[in-house]
């Protein structure tokens, strides 16, 4: 089995669990449930829930025990994409090769669908102790971490910084000069915060030690950075049919990106350096962390 096959198998497990968790499309009132299902099952890679599984496995935990948390995080992530695509944000017409939620259901339903998924995320987390026997104090800990990752100190803060910095990549200013520190803030919060929270959630729920959690946190931070740099690069050189959205959107929206500030070659070097640091962070962990090791190679070489 190739690594891509393994990713697909894990994504299938997540999809099956999400199918059971979400209300049917014809539940009343249908538009909201249809919009949620349309967005959730639009063909995502399920990277974040897979990271929850892998974080648990890396410290000897079981996938089944953290599946609810994995699904909760995928709903949180999908909500962020639906809102990110809105005309008031990035104004994107395509997501994963399909019309975005607001293009199909209208802006009002898209906003409400995002709200519904964010709320459902935390509702699902409340089921963890009862359904899996995970100690309530660990559930409370990851709930707090996810709230932080989703809020103004996490992805919302990153989105605000991204919106504020738009138009500054070509030499403009944002309270001064847009530099790598601001760019890293955007990436670490808008994308990296939830990637880090995903790995930590799996590890915490599986009973990770403080040392293990520190290693996995360092790994996740550099994984998130490498992932976003590659994402920036693909927006310049990617195949629209493969990545499922128009290339060049960052430049058209005057977004601050690594290629915009440093060029493609330097951006590739920075992604490779982040990947190397991520691998180094796992040196103290055993074969249980091999999936995470293979994942970083996949991320750095991905084409979508």
């Amino acid at each position: 089995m190739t690594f891509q096959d393994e990713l697909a198998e894990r994504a299938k497990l997540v999809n099956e669990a999400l199918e059971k968790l979400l209300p049917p499309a014809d539940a009343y009132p249908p538009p909201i449930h249809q919009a949620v299902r349309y967005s959730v099952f639009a063909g995502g890679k399920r990277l974040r829930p897979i990271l929850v599984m892998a974080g648990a496995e890396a410290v000897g935990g079981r996938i089944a025990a953290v599946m609810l948390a994995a699904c909760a995080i995928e709903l949180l992530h999908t909500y962020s994409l639906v809102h990110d695509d809105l005309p008031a944000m990035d104004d994107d017409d395509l997501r994963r090769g399909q019309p975005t939620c607001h293009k199909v259901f209208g802006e009002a339903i898209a906003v409400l669908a995002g709200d519904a998924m964010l709320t459902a995320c935390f509702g699902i987390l409340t089921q963890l102790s009862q359904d899996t026997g995970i100690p309530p104090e660990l559930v409370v800990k990851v709930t707090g971490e996810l709230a932080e990752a989703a809020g103004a100190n996490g992805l919302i803060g990153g989105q605000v910084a991204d919106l504020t910095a738009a138009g500054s990549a070509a030499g403009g200013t944002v309270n001064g000069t847009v530099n790598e520190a601001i760019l890293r803030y955007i990436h670490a919060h808008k994308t990296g915060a939830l990637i880090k929270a995903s790995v930590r959630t799996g590890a915490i729920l599986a009973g990770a030690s403080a040392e293990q959690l520190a290693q996995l946190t360092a790994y996740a931070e550099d994984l998130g950075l490498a992932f976003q740099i590659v994402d920036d690069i693909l927006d310049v050189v990617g195949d629209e049919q493969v990545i499922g959205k128009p290339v060049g959107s960052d430049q058209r929206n005057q977004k601050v990106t690594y290629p915009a500030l440093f060029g493609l070659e330097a951006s590739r070097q920075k992604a490779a350096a982040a990947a190397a640091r991520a691998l180094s962070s796992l040196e103290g962990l055993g074969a249980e962390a091999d999936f995470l090791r293979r994942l970083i190679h996949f991320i750095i070489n991905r084409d979508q």
Side-chain angles (χ1 to χ4, degrees):
M1 179 185 291
T2 67
F3 188 69
Q4 281 188 299
D5 290 336
E6 191 170 356
L7 285 173
E9 284 295 317
R10 291 180 181 231
K12 182 180 177 183
L13 292 175
V14 176
N15 287 337
E16 290 171 350
L18 285 166
E19 181 64 46
K20 294 175 183 177
L21 282 169
L22 293 175
D26 59 358
Y28 190 81
I32 189 66
H33 302 300
Q34 291 169 1
V36 166
R37 283 182 162 271
Y38 177 85
S39 302
V40 169
F41 295 113
K45 295 182 286 292
R46 308 308 190 206
L47 173 64
R48 288 149 193 84
I50 287 172
L51 285 172
V52 176
M53 300 179 202
E57 286 180 310
V59 297
R62 297 181 301 110
I63 285 177
V66 298
M67 184 56 75
L68 281 176
C71 290
I73 286 178
E74 183 64 12
L75 291 178
L76 195 161
H77 172 58
T78 306
Y79 125 78
S80 73
L81 299 181
V82 170
H83 281 194
D84 201 34
D85 289 336
L86 289 167
M89 300 290 184
D90 286 354
D91 194 15
D92 284 325
D93 293 341
L94 291 176
R95 168 73 65 179
R96 298 164 177 166
Q98 303 294 326
T100 47
C101 185
H102 71 271
K103 298 299 289 186
V104 176
F105 298 94
E107 290 180 40
I109 293 297
V111 170
L112 293 171
D115 293 345
M117 286 183 278
L118 177 60
T119 307
C121 163
F122 292 101
I124 290 169
L125 290 176
T126 66
Q127 303 174 32
L128 271 170
S129 289
Q130 179 179 344
D131 290 4
T132 67
I134 292 173
E137 60 270 21
L138 297 183
V139 176
V140 170
K141 181 175 176 61
V142 300
T143 301
E145 292 212 6
L146 285 179
E148 183 79 1
N153 292 322
L155 68 87
I156 287 177
Q159 175 71 348
V160 170
D162 191 24
L163 291 171
T164 304
S168 302
T173 61
V174 179
N175 297 324
T177 302
V178 174
N179 54 28
E180 187 173 9
I182 293 174
L183 183 56
R184 286 195 67 144
Y185 177 93
I186 293 170
H187 285 349
H189 291 75
K190 184 176 179 180
T191 301
L194 195 52
I195 286 177
K196 180 170 72 173
S198 297
V199 176
R200 283 179 58 87
T201 290
I204 290 168
L205 294 176
S209 68
E211 182 179 359
Q212 289 172 325
L213 190 58
Q215 290 174 275
L216 290 169
T217 300
Y219 166 87
E221 288 173 346
D222 280 310
L223 171 70
L225 177 59
F227 179 90
Q228 188 58 57
I229 294 175
V230 171
D231 215 47
D232 287 353
I233 292 170
L234 288 175
D235 189 75
V236 178
V237 302
D239 184 334
E240 184 173 324
Q241 298 302 314
V242 175
I243 64 176
K245 60 181 180 180
V247 297
S249 61
D250 288 340
Q251 184 177 12
R252 286 193 297 274
N253 293 327
Q254 295 185 292
K255 289 294 186 74
V256 181
T257 67
Y258 271 84
L261 288 185
F262 302 106
L264 284 172
E265 187 53 39
S267 298
R268 291 189 178 101
Q269 292 172 5
K270 288 178 181 294
R277 291 193 302 269
L279 284 173
S280 178
S281 297
L282 299 178
E283 286 179 1
L285 298 172
E288 296 85 357
D290 280 350
F291 181 89
L292 291 174
R293 294 184 176 97
R294 285 179 286 155
L295 179 64
I296 194 68
H297 290 295
F298 175 80
I299 292 298
I300 206 70
N301 294 303
R302 69 191 177 97
D303 60 1
Q304 59 179 306

